Amino acid sequence: VDPSQLKYCIWPSDKTIYASKSYGVTLSVLISRKNKSDYEGYLAMKKDSTLLAERLYTDALQENKQNEEVYINLIQIKLGLKKYQDVIQLARQWQTVNPENDMAYVYEGIASAYGGNFESALNQLLRAIQINPDNYQAYSILAQLYNQKGDKQNAQYYYNKSEEVKQKLQGQ
């Protein structure tokens, strides 16, 4: 379990109907669900049924706003559909659920960049790095953004930083 999920009380989920504990520490949970829209969304996504997956994941998020896996998959679908404002809205909703999930900020940065808002993209990606200095993807995207803006110095800096972090992670 990600420590930030414990810190922000999103694990165990508020949909928990049974928790297995040892010495007062929750080890596993059984979560109540009214439907299988998250699982069905996953299956639809695997079959490239994008619009069906989008609808199912949207339903799943209405059922359980704490399901971070649904945020990830729904955001990826909406990025593919070029629904950048939807991605920004979802990323911000995810940030309220778990303010320490760096990927929520990366996705908001990506959507902001595609939407033409360079400054917002920079801010979100820098926030992701502040949360997780080992997020090489954020560095890489920053390098691409600076390169597109013609700022070769910053582009090179963030590219090098991305490679440095990747090598560090591979060595672990």
Side-chain angles (χ1 to χ4, degrees):
V1 175
D2 187 308
S4 64
Q5 290 181 331
L6 297 173
K7 181 177 179 181
Y8 292 101
C9 301
I10 57 174
W11 196 90
S13 168
D14 61 7
K15 305 285 184 192
T16 299
I17 57 175
Y18 174 77
S20 171
K21 296 183 178 189
S22 177
Y23 300 103
V25 176
T26 303
L27 302 175
S28 63
V29 297
L30 181 62
I31 297 174
S32 170
R33 44 195 293 177
K34 294 179 181 169
N35 60 49
K36 297 189 289 185
S37 54
D38 56 343
Y39 177 67
E40 291 167 350
Y42 168 76
L43 294 177
M45 197 167 127
K46 284 187 66 133
K47 293 179 183 176
D48 290 327
S49 298
T50 306
L51 296 177
L52 176 60
E54 179 186 26
R55 183 179 57 76
L56 290 165
Y57 277 132
T58 299
D59 291 347
L61 205 52
Q62 293 303 315
E63 170 68 21
N64 183 358
K65 293 193 184 310
Q66 295 176 314
N67 190 333
E68 293 190 85
E69 193 69 30
V70 170
Y71 282 106
I72 293 168
N73 291 334
L74 185 54
I75 284 172
Q76 289 175 350
I77 288 167
K78 288 190 180 281
L79 277 172
L81 295 171
K82 300 181 181 180
K83 295 183 177 182
Y84 305 127
Q85 287 300 347
D86 288 357
V87 171
I88 290 169
Q89 180 182 358
L90 282 167
R92 289 179 180 168
Q93 184 178 341
W94 185 8
Q95 292 161 15
T96 64
V97 171
N98 185 352
E100 291 185 25
N101 190 312
D102 56 314
M103 289 309 296
Y105 298 91
V106 169
Y107 284 124
E108 184 177 349
I110 291 169
S112 294
Y114 279 126
N117 191 336
F118 181 76
E119 287 304 314
S120 178
L122 284 180
N123 290 335
Q124 297 310 314
L125 293 164
L126 291 170
R127 175 73 178 119
I129 291 168
Q130 182 181 28
I131 293 168
N132 178 7
D134 288 338
N135 188 325
Y136 67 89
Q137 295 166 313
Y139 292 112
S140 178
I141 297 165
L142 280 167
Q144 292 170 36
L145 288 175
Y146 277 113
N147 191 48
Q148 288 173 353
K149 286 292 185 185
D151 184 341
K152 302 298 181 193
Q153 184 176 359
N154 275 321
Q156 190 63 53
Y157 170 79
Y158 284 110
Y159 173 77
N160 291 343
K161 191 69 176 167
S162 174
E163 292 301 309
E164 175 188 318
V165 170
K166 270 195 261 186
Q167 288 178 4
K168 173 184 152 190
L169 293 173
Q170 290 172 349
Q172 291 181 350

